[in-house]
Amino acid sequence: HHQYLTPEHEQELLAPFVQRAQTGGMLTVAEVQQAYRERAGREVARSTIYRLLERHGWRKVVPRPRHPKADVAAQAAFKKTAPRGTPRGLAPG
């Protein structure tokens, strides 16, 4: 196995990121890669970081996208007044 850090050192490297994630903070692979590069003292591929995160049980979670011009009030009003069901879901009458 070719590795730059031991599993224990990887845990130490990820500790600050774990704390930030638990408080609702977001992180990017680039941030972890920079920290890993500084710790290992050499360049590492992004795939190395993805494998590291997978090894430690991390998974990709992204916030749901929202259009910058979305009108939240109009969407809420539509949800209250929209007919229930869809034409395909309604029984023929």
Side-chain angles (χ1 to χ4, degrees), residues 13 17-18 30 33 35 37-38 45-46 49 57 68 71 79 82 90 93:
L13 175 80
F17 296 108
V18 170
Q33 185 177 18
R37 182 183 311 131
E38 291 171 2
R46 191 158 284 193
I49 304 306
D71 186 353
K79 287 179 184 177
L90 297 176

Side-chain angles (χ1 to χ4, degrees), residues 14-28 31-32 58:
L14 291 175
F17 296 108
V18 170
Q19 291 173 352
R20 196 166 82 193
Q22 287 175 341
T23 60
M26 289 181 52
L27 69 117
T28 63
E31 292 174 292
V32 179
W58 287 65

Side-chain angles (χ1 to χ4, degrees), residues 10 14 47-60:
E10 288 177 350
L14 291 175
S47 62
T48 301
I49 304 306
Y50 280 112
R51 286 194 312 272
L52 162 83
L53 293 172
E54 184 179 359
R55 252 191 321 273
H56 291 275
W58 287 65
R59 60 190 178 94
K60 182 178 179 180

